Amino acid sequence: MTVECSGEQMTSEGNDGMAKSTVEYVAFLVRSEHRLHVIDLLAGGPCSREELRERMDATRVTLSRILGDLEDRGLIQRRNSDGEYELSSFGELVHRDFARLLGTVSVGQTYPKLISRLPTDWFDFDPRCLVDGEHVHGKSADPLAAARVVANAIKEGSSCEALVGTFTSLPMYGYEQAIQNGTDSEVRVIFDSSVTETMLEDPSLRTKWQEIESRIGSTVYYSLDERVPCTVDFIDDETVFLTIDREAETGFDIISCSHPDVVAWADRVISEHRNRAVPLNQRTSDAD
């Protein structure tokens, strides 16, 4: 079988040959951090040779060799208009997948017990952003310790928007306490289809959210006809809490993060789901 890749042919006999060729290609990139650095810099836009040298710790000779190697493998190309270097289409794909791989490795090292449960395919930010975060009460014996952190953040914050796919009632009770304390906070919560079912079928929970909305005089809780892979709480437009179910025990694991890319993603994904949601109270007639 022959595969053409940016002018270079890789020939193999069966999957083992292809796997070996692919591993050799990856090894070529990772053997030199300078190669990855050039690809990363060009992912931000075309650069001249001098611009690349100014931004790298490499001699002219080293940079020239690196650029030649990357060109030979079809990862970068020179523009005819100004001679600047840019990623080829193939190089863009490699950079995207490499960045994703490095992000996954970084998150796996930081949260080794959570990586298999994080919905990284749902995130459109580099997973490495989560390395700046914190595993909230990850070692606590109290299964609800992390949920209490979120509940307190809602109680003490001025605003919260939430997309709920992992159920815990503590944030709702935290908001109830904020109301009782006279806190003027703005809260809007969107339940996915599974949590919606719980909120409608459990009499005590149904009474609680209806009392909250009655006291506020406006809609707080909304409902979706779809599932979401985890809960996203967005507090004061600056902190994101990601809540994930634990696998073999009760309670939750929560990552707190304020990285700008994670904040922008949370704002966008909650807004998109809010546009598809309806007031939870509209679902009550179906549950009766």
Side-chain angles (χ1 to χ4, degrees):
M1 179 171 61
T2 300
V3 178
E4 293 188 4
C5 186
S6 299
E8 182 173 335
Q9 291 187 334
M10 296 185 292
T11 304
S12 63
E13 296 180 1
N15 291 334
D16 290 343
M18 178 60 73
K20 181 179 179 181
S21 178
T22 302
V23 169
E24 289 174 350
Y25 210 96
V26 172
F28 156 76
L29 287 173
V30 300
R31 273 197 298 266
S32 167
E33 64 177 285
H34 290 315
R35 292 169 183 158
L36 291 175
H37 195 184
V38 168
I39 291 175
D40 200 44
L41 289 173
L42 293 181
C47 291
S48 67
R49 184 186 293 257
E50 287 304 312
E51 287 173 331
L52 288 171
R53 195 173 72 84
E54 289 174 0
R55 299 168 68 180
M56 295 176 60
D57 182 20
T59 65
R60 290 181 182 274
V61 173
T62 299
L63 178 59
S64 181
R65 183 179 67 251
I66 290 168
L67 293 174
D69 288 343
L70 294 175
E71 274 192 286
D72 289 344
R73 285 165 174 78
L75 292 163
I76 67 172
Q77 59 196 20
R78 296 191 72 175
R79 303 196 306 188
N80 293 329
S81 58
D82 52 20
E84 290 190 338
Y85 290 90
E86 64 182 1
L87 290 182
S88 65
S89 297
F90 175 51
E92 290 176 353
L93 292 173
V94 169
H95 175 266
R96 182 199 64 190
D97 291 341
F98 238 95
R100 199 79 182 178
L101 172 62
L102 293 176
T104 300
V105 171
S106 298
V107 172
Q109 291 173 327
T110 306
Y111 311 109
K113 295 182 179 180
L114 298 186
I115 185 62
S116 64
R117 287 179 282 137
L118 282 172
T120 53
D121 289 344
W122 192 38
F123 306 149
D124 63 7
F125 54 83
D126 187 331
R128 281 176 289 186
C129 297
L130 293 178
V131 175
D132 295 336
E134 175 189 359
H135 187 185
V136 179
H137 286 262
K139 297 180 180 180
S140 174
D142 180 358
L144 296 179
R148 288 192 177 90
V149 171
V150 178
N152 288 333
I154 293 173
K155 183 171 61 175
E156 297 168 3
S158 60
S159 69
C160 171
E161 288 201 279
L163 178 60
V164 181
T166 302
F167 180 70
T168 171
S169 61
L170 284 176
M172 184 170 64
Y173 286 97
Y175 182 45
E176 181 186 37
Q177 290 178 6
I179 296 171
Q180 292 172 349
N181 294 337
T183 303
D184 185 18
S185 58
E186 182 180 350
V187 173
R188 186 154 40 190
V189 181
I190 307 159
F191 297 124
D192 79 351
S193 56
S194 177
V195 180
T196 291
E197 185 175 343
T198 300
M199 299 304 289
L200 294 177
E201 293 184 352
D202 186 305
S204 63
L205 293 175
R206 179 168 168 174
T207 297
K208 185 59 61 181
W209 65 258
Q210 287 178 330
E211 286 178 348
I212 289 174
E213 289 194 334
S214 176
R215 185 174 299 184
I216 293 298
S218 63
T219 300
V220 176
Y221 300 101
Y222 294 80
S223 170
L224 284 171
D225 281 329
E226 59 194 89
R227 295 292 305 272
V228 295
C230 74
T231 290
V232 184
D233 289 287
F234 188 29
I235 311 293
D236 290 343
D237 296 327
E238 60 183 25
T239 304
V240 177
F241 292 95
L242 300 172
T243 301
I244 308 105
D245 276 319
R246 289 181 176 171
E247 287 182 319
E249 53 186 308
T250 59
F252 312 91
D253 283 298
I254 297 179
I255 295 176
S256 169
C257 188
S258 297
H259 191 287
D261 290 355
V262 179
V263 167
W265 170 82
D267 187 29
R268 182 171 60 257
V269 77
I270 291 175
S271 177
E272 290 172 353
H273 284 80
R274 186 175 63 243
N275 290 337
R276 299 197 294 271
V278 299
L280 180 61
N281 198 47
Q282 288 187 15
R283 308 285 195 192
T284 55
S285 59
D286 297 331
D288 291 334

